[in-house]
Amino acid sequence: MNDAQRSDAELAKTIYNRYESTKNKMAHAAKKVGRDISQIQLIAASKVQNPESLRELIDAGHTVFGENRFQEGRAKIPLLPSLCVWHFIGGLQRNKVKDIVKLFEWIHSVDSQLLLDEVDKRAATIGKIQKILLEVNIADEASKHGASPYEVKNLVIHANQLANVEVNGLMTVAPFYDDLEEVRPFFKQLADLKKEVELETGSILPHLSMGMTHDFEIAIEEGATMVRVGTGLFGPRRAK
Ligand SMILES: *Cc1c(COP(=O)(O)O)cnc(C)c1O
């Protein structure tokens, strides 16, 4: 196949095909390292996808979605069945926390004490305990959100003092490499950091949210419990 044929073939696949193939790849990666696939959740990263595309996944039995922007979530979430579970995976702005806490069961992108305090305050107002992950900028890239690995321990200690925040683990967006073996050390570092912080704080952090379309199999091999897959399920994202 040449490149044009390959991209036509890619576009012709249905969301259902891609979903089945993603689940197979997840199972294969888990098996390779002796992990139980039931410990690994697929989050469909549904930014820029319309509700009809999400419904195709729901029809196939998938109900867990990740959105990046509050405005988009606010428009989409009410149109879809209430059994869906929504994860906020995009950059978190303080002035949006109030609304995000109302809409999303999970927030993956808390990366400062200021944001922890804001989430706690807004969750308290509506009587909710907000599940969060701390986003870590594992490769120290200027373009990425996330706390530095050195800050994570203190953030966990701080979060543990807040009544309306439940810190459930760590999240990262790894650097992109064509050679997947180059990304592996970053996933390993996040997994090691989780263990280290658990020992230092006595907290249990059950989740590691890491891995996207390009690298989720490696992330699973290194301990991911949540993978966030967008194009691998919905096909190439077209500019809006
Ligand atoms: C878009 C996005 C994803 C999914 O990316 P794909 O490469 O399309 O799988 C995962 N995580 C975050 C934070 C994203 O913004």
Side-chain angles (χ1 to χ4, degrees), residues 24-72:
N24 285 337
K25 287 180 189 166
M26 286 176 66
H28 189 260
K31 193 164 171 218
K32 191 170 161 189
V33 292
R35 294 187 61 201
D36 177 355
I37 187 64
S38 72
Q39 305 297 300
I40 306 159
Q41 264 195 65
L42 173 63
I43 300 175
S46 47
K47 60 174 173 258
V48 316
Q49 306 300 334
N50 58 34
E52 289 66 47
S53 299
L54 276 69
R55 249 179 235 119
E56 285 186 50
L57 272 184
I58 296 169
D59 290 345
H62 186 80
T63 52
V64 184
F65 296 96
E67 284 285 336
N68 285 64
R69 290 179 61 238
F70 156 67
Q71 289 87 342
E72 201 180 325

Side-chain angles (χ1 to χ4, degrees), residues 45 47 68 89-90 135 171 173 211-214 228-232 237:
K47 60 174 173 258
N68 285 64
I89 63 175
E135 180 168 358
M171 177 270 214
V173 179
M212 309 180 9
T213 297
H214 176 64
R228 309 175 310 267
V229 179
T231 49
R237 274 190 291 276

Side-chain angles (χ1 to χ4, degrees), residues 25-155:
K25 287 180 189 166
M26 286 176 66
H28 189 260
K31 193 164 171 218
K32 191 170 161 189
V33 292
R35 294 187 61 201
D36 177 355
I37 187 64
S38 72
Q39 305 297 300
I40 306 159
Q41 264 195 65
L42 173 63
I43 300 175
S46 47
K47 60 174 173 258
V48 316
Q49 306 300 334
N50 58 34
E52 289 66 47
S53 299
L54 276 69
R55 249 179 235 119
E56 285 186 50
L57 272 184
I58 296 169
D59 290 345
H62 186 80
T63 52
V64 184
F65 296 96
E67 284 285 336
N68 285 64
R69 290 179 61 238
F70 156 67
Q71 289 87 342
E72 201 180 325
R74 179 179 56 187
K76 234 180 255 181
I77 292 172
L79 301 176
L80 293 160
S82 59
L83 58 80
C84 294
V85 177
W86 298 91
H87 293 242
F88 188 81
I89 63 175
L92 191 59
Q93 288 170 283
R94 192 150 168 247
N95 64 352
K96 299 281 174 16
V97 166
K98 177 179 174 214
D99 297 304
I100 289 169
V101 161
K102 283 185 198 151
L103 280 174
F104 290 86
E105 193 160 316
W106 291 77
I107 303 175
H108 288 224
S109 43
V110 180
D111 62 3
S112 70
Q113 192 159 316
L114 213 62
L115 283 171
L116 278 171
D117 290 340
E118 184 67 14
V119 170
D120 182 59
K121 175 176 144 191
R122 298 304 183 175
T125 310
I126 59 167
K128 177 183 189 185
I129 304 212
Q130 180 67 53
K131 290 181 192 155
I132 66 135
L133 303 175
L134 294 169
E135 180 168 358
V136 183
N137 187 351
I138 199 71
D140 195 21
E141 293 173 282
S143 62
K144 298 251 165 87
H145 296 282
S148 131
Y150 309 103
E151 296 170 322
V152 173
K153 172 186 163 195
N154 284 335
L155 289 175

